[in-house]
Amino acid sequence: MTSSRRQFLRLALGVATPPVLSGLACADTYPSRPVRIIVGFAAGGPNDILARLVGQRWSERLGQQFIIENRPGAGSNIATDAVVRAPPDGYTLLLVGSPNAINATLYENLDFNFLRDIAPVAGLTRGALAMVINPSVPANTIPEFVAYAKANPGRLSYGSGGVGGITHIAAELFKQEAGGLDLQHVPYRGVAPAITDLLGGQVQVVFVNLAPSIGYIGSGRLRALGLTTAARSEALPDVPAIGEFVPGYEASSVFGVGAPKDTPTEIIDRLNKEANAALADSAFKMRLRNLDATGLGGSPADFGKVMAGETEKWARVMRLAKIRLE
């Protein structure tokens, strides 16, 4: 276990540096003023929507406004850096997600260590990607695709939303776990142009979130071979998990909330309790389904273990694939 992972798990378990406020004072007074949730992506996207959902819930339950502040840029590193530097008083929070786990390896000279400097608060969601292909590819199942790719090394291309994003490294993990497939990577500036070229046959496969692809799958313009999560999706019940054919394969978009290290345990526990209550609410669950996500939940320690595990997994994938920012 790396030292940064040990530190992150210590933060999750509440055994890091003693809090800056007394536990009794925190429990009695927090929050006494508006709280900011910093999001490293532009307004209107799924990450922003998720932050607003949980922020609204906390506002209703805790009696103070939770304000969403969008600070896009550098793959969410700008937002993370802002929270790392904020006072550890519970009034500045971070929408944490898979990009943080990926960036720990993708970026070489960050001014912070995510696992060391951000304390986990609550796991919120886990979302699947779909492996979709152009119907011109003669494959209806994962085994057929793998066989075809092995028989035609270097002739198939996959598109992604950009180097180092989840749509890129989920495909690289598939290449590795399926026996070292020779698929050529074509990065785009976002997922939308990748899907456009997939529809036109310029690339043959894309690993993509369900929302932008499900309409094309339903119309037959794209073919879904598998889902990246271990479980099937209610939205595509007939599409199997890739792991049913490629043992051990799993890739998902994970999101939750974090805070600056040394944030008082009592504050973290209170936010965690309310997050779990929201995830148990049927109306809140339905709103998550609209984001193609399922609730994650659990303790701060549970979310800490998830993010530490994601960081280690994606580090292995990127090092083996030699993924680097140019």
Side-chain angles (χ1 to χ4, degrees):
M1 180 182 294
T2 64
S3 60
S4 59
R5 180 175 181 183
R6 283 195 296 268
Q7 177 71 10
F8 194 63
L9 295 181
R10 288 181 65 222
L11 292 173
L13 291 166
V15 294
T17 305
V20 296
L21 299 175
S22 73
L24 182 59
C26 292
D28 287 346
T29 64
Y30 179 84
S32 60
R33 55 187 168 87
V35 179
R36 294 184 302 158
I37 303 178
I38 311 297
V39 179
F41 304 91
N47 308 304
D48 175 71
I49 294 172
L50 174 62
R52 292 179 190 278
L53 284 177
V54 71
Q56 179 183 1
R57 174 77 181 203
W58 279 338
S59 295
E60 294 169 353
R61 298 280 294 180
L62 297 176
Q64 284 289 344
Q65 190 175 11
F66 281 71
I67 301 167
I68 307 307
E69 184 176 317
N70 300 93
R71 294 198 186 184
S76 80
N77 287 326
I78 291 175
T80 304
D81 185 68
V83 177
V84 167
R85 297 175 185 278
D89 56 10
Y91 290 94
T92 304
L93 306 174
L94 175 69
L95 183 73
V96 170
S98 296
N100 297 105
I102 295 167
N103 291 346
T105 299
L106 186 63
Y107 290 81
E108 294 184 347
N109 298 306
L110 294 175
D111 292 331
F112 58 84
N113 181 307
F114 166 70
L115 294 181
R116 180 194 67 208
D117 296 331
I118 295 294
V121 172
L124 295 177
T125 64
R126 184 183 292 278
L129 305 178
M131 177 185 176
V132 293
I133 64 172
N134 185 285
S136 64
V137 178
N140 292 296
T141 66
I142 294 292
E144 289 176 357
F145 180 88
V146 171
Y148 183 77
K150 288 183 175 180
N152 296 274
R155 295 183 59 184
L156 297 179
S157 298
Y158 74 91
S160 79
V163 174
I166 189 67
T167 59
H168 177 199
I169 60 175
E172 286 296 328
L173 178 62
F174 177 76
K175 288 171 54 178
Q176 295 169 14
E177 297 293 328
L181 301 183
D182 185 1
L183 307 177
Q184 302 304 306
H185 178 215
V186 181
Y188 293 84
R189 291 183 178 272
V191 172
I195 294 177
T196 297
D197 274 7
L198 178 64
L199 290 164
Q202 283 78 25
V203 294
Q204 289 71 49
V205 58
V206 172
F207 285 69
V208 64
N209 299 95
L210 302 188
S213 61
I214 197 165
Y216 296 119
I217 295 168
S219 68
R221 296 185 65 189
L222 296 177
R223 182 180 301 142
L225 297 186
L227 297 178
T228 60
T229 46
R232 298 193 182 202
S233 168
E234 293 181 9
L236 294 170
D238 296 328
V239 177
I242 293 173
E244 295 177 29
F245 305 101
V246 181
Y249 181 89
E250 193 280 335
S252 53
S253 296
V254 177
F255 285 94
V257 176
K261 70 176 180 179
D262 300 335
T263 297
T265 301
E266 292 76 17
I267 289 177
I268 289 177
D269 288 344
R270 187 167 190 191
L271 292 171
N272 179 269
K273 178 181 177 180
E274 293 298 341
N276 281 305
L279 294 172
D281 180 77
S282 58
F284 196 86
K285 287 181 184 178
M286 183 60 66
R287 300 187 76 175
L288 291 183
R289 289 195 193 100
N290 293 335
L291 295 174
D292 301 313
T294 57
L296 189 57
S299 68
D302 292 332
F303 186 46
K305 291 175 183 176
V306 168
M307 292 308 299
E310 291 288 292
T311 300
E312 287 193 354
K313 177 172 74 175
W314 295 130
R316 290 193 301 269
V317 172
M318 288 188 283
R319 287 168 182 152
L320 183 60
K322 299 179 180 179
I323 296 172
R324 302 177 68 88
L325 289 177
E326 297 297 332

